[in-house]
Amino acid sequence: MKVLGWAKTLGSVVRGPGGVRAVRELLRVNVRDSRVPEFTLPDALTDAAGQPVTTPEGWRARRAEILGIFRHEIYGPAPAGPALVATQLSETSALAGRARCRQIRLSASNEPDRPALHLLLYLPADAPAPAPVFLALNFRGNHSIAGDPSIRLSTAWIEEDDAGGVARNRATEAARGVRSRRWPLETILGRGYGLATAYAGDLAPDHPDLWRTGLVGSDIPADGGALSAWAWGLSRLLDQLECEPGVDPGRVALLGHSRLGKAALWAAAQDERFAVVLANASGCMGAALSRRRFGESLAFMNSAFPHWMAPRLHAYSRKEDALPVDQHQLLTLVAPRPLCISGAEGDRWSDPRGEFLALREASAVYRLLGSPGLDADEWPGSERPILGHLAHHLRRGSHDITARDWAHFLDFADLHIGPQARQRA
């Protein structure tokens, strides 16, 4: 976290649900590598009975064990429903005819009064075959990713922040395109990819008192959290992409940033249909190792954002060594699919070194399954990207998604699901 943002962060934390307790935990956060304690990670390839896992068949049983622990102790179970019905709202030309823009409402089949999930889908207009697609949730509504006035303006609750365009937690016309810098549509479409996105708040508003009022609503179990709701929604969006003409459902790249990077990893752990997975600056309870106790802490997250995770996780605040798993094991649940972990040098809050170490630890499972592991033993530092089956990218700068990040995401996707990768297959 940058010093220039410290006072503002303190103010927002004080006003947030955690109040003084969250501020206390914020002031305890460690951002010095010299203060990282010694720790021992649980072994992904030793099962609950203490036996080594040495075969791909043995890994399937071990994988089920690890997945069950994350579901019970960390993120909580997935919501049960509701069943969704799709209604296409519009299809228009976009980007001066280079793309088609489709808007689809996914609503509860038997409960028309429930909030709906709105999918925004861009596809290359001249693709010779069904296109690979990046799928990602967004933070501020579909209207925020582009200035196109034909995009439906969200009516859902939206957090007010510096991006502007939100009054009394509702979007105004001024909110159109406020996050377009994070979504370089022309570049993505120009490389032959589609882009699918939906507002996370349609599923569960990111507010501790309102998060059960979205589409998933009362279907979220008492021992669940908002991340499980967002992850559930990503799988439902993939269900819909499997039905959309012009989409290759076997080549969907799941992408998430920050807390939505946590949700993307959890969605990919549960749903093996996602072809490749990219998590950017996902940090605590994302890709970063909890036992490093660096950057955003478990205690701070539980205090400031108590609705994100399973209530059981609160018992582990400042007790990271007692966790039955660590985040390298979450990354193993993506195996053997290609996985990219990325972040920023100035974003110490997300612990980019801890994310790299988790990716390195997950390599053992990838190799067991016959896939390449991470092609590096030492943290490479910034602007030295690693491209491969396991990829890593650290750029200069702060907590964000930039054009530089997208260049790496697209290069990574090209290796595995892009047009040339398809020709090689």
Side-chain angles (χ1 to χ4, degrees), residues 264-325:
L265 288 170
W266 181 226
Q270 299 174 93
D271 190 337
E272 297 181 77
R273 294 176 297 165
F274 295 107
V276 299
V277 183
L278 307 95
N280 185 67
S282 58
C284 180
M285 289 298 131
L289 293 173
S290 298
R291 283 166 171 79
R292 266 176 54 83
R293 297 174 177 85
F294 188 100
E296 182 180 22
S297 69
L298 183 55
F300 172 79
M301 188 189 69
N302 283 334
S303 298
F305 310 107
H307 57 296
W308 282 2
M309 306 287 182
R312 288 187 185 89
L313 186 62
H314 290 231
Y316 296 102
S317 292
R318 283 190 268 143
K319 298 177 183 177
E320 287 85 353
D321 287 327
L323 285 164
V325 287

Side-chain angles (χ1 to χ4, degrees), residues 144-147 163 176-185 187-188 257 395 398-406:
S144 70
I145 80 158
R176 294 191 180 279
V178 294
R179 291 295 191 197
S180 60
R181 180 181 54 79
R182 287 185 172 180
W183 305 88
L185 288 170
T187 300
I188 297 166
H257 168 64
R395 61 164 170 79
S398 59
H399 188 77
D400 203 351
I401 292 183
T402 69
R404 180 76 185 91
D405 296 318
W406 272 103

Side-chain angles (χ1 to χ4, degrees), residues 92-389:
T92 57
S93 178
L95 304 180
R98 295 188 297 277
R100 300 295 296 174
C101 176
R102 205 173 291 161
Q103 298 186 74
I104 300 151
R105 182 176 64 234
L106 301 172
S107 52
S109 58
N110 296 318
E111 299 177 70
D113 293 334
R114 276 205 197 203
L117 177 63
H118 292 85
L119 170 62
L120 178 66
L121 174 62
Y122 284 91
L123 291 170
D126 58 353
V133 172
F134 282 91
L135 170 62
L137 294 176
N138 64 69
F139 287 93
R140 294 182 58 81
N142 294 343
H143 59 268
S144 70
I145 80 158
D148 185 347
S150 70
I151 298 175
R152 174 188 173 274
L153 193 69
S154 176
T155 59
W157 183 94
I158 299 175
E159 182 182 10
E160 297 183 39
D161 66 11
D162 290 345
V166 176
R168 296 183 179 179
N169 299 112
R170 292 296 185 270
T172 70
E173 287 293 327
R176 294 191 180 279
V178 294
R179 291 295 191 197
S180 60
R181 180 181 54 79
R182 287 185 172 180
W183 305 88
L185 288 170
E186 292 196 16
T187 300
I188 297 166
L189 275 291
R191 293 278 287 265
Y193 294 88
L195 176 69
T197 188
Y199 174 42
D202 281 352
L203 294 158
D206 193 8
H207 187 284
D209 297 326
L210 301 175
W211 68 280
R212 290 183 179 273
T213 64
L215 168 64
V216 182
S218 59
D219 293 306
I220 303 173
D223 53 350
L227 260 85
S228 278
W230 298 333
W232 177 89
L234 286 165
S235 287
R236 302 295 72 77
L237 291 168
L238 181 55
D239 291 344
Q240 186 59 35
L241 290 177
E242 290 181 332
C243 303
E244 289 298 316
V247 173
D248 185 343
R251 294 191 293 160
V252 173
L254 179 58
L255 169 66
H257 168 64
S258 194
R259 66 198 65 178
L260 299 182
K262 308 179 204 294
L265 288 170
W266 181 226
Q270 299 174 93
D271 190 337
E272 297 181 77
R273 294 176 297 165
F274 295 107
V276 299
V277 183
L278 307 95
N280 185 67
S282 58
C284 180
M285 289 298 131
L289 293 173
S290 298
R291 283 166 171 79
R292 266 176 54 83
R293 297 174 177 85
F294 188 100
E296 182 180 22
S297 69
L298 183 55
F300 172 79
M301 188 189 69
N302 283 334
S303 298
F305 310 107
H307 57 296
W308 282 2
M309 306 287 182
R312 288 187 185 89
L313 186 62
H314 290 231
Y316 296 102
S317 292
R318 283 190 268 143
K319 298 177 183 177
E320 287 85 353
D321 287 327
L323 285 164
V325 287
D326 212 316
Q327 296 310 104
H328 65 296
Q329 291 168 296
L330 178 65
L331 303 189
T332 68
L333 300 179
V334 178
R337 292 165 289 167
L339 171 63
C340 175
I341 300 298
S342 57
E345 184 179 45
D347 184 17
R348 297 173 72 78
W349 188 250
S350 297
D351 189 15
R353 187 188 293 269
E355 293 181 329
F356 170 83
L357 294 175
L359 188 62
R360 188 183 71 182
E361 290 294 320
S363 290
V365 171
Y366 275 82
R367 293 187 177 109
L368 175 68
L369 298 179
S371 297
L374 185 66
D375 190 21
D377 290 325
E378 299 298 325
W379 192 40
S382 61
E383 304 300 342
R384 297 181 64 186
I386 300 167
L387 274 176
H389 201 80

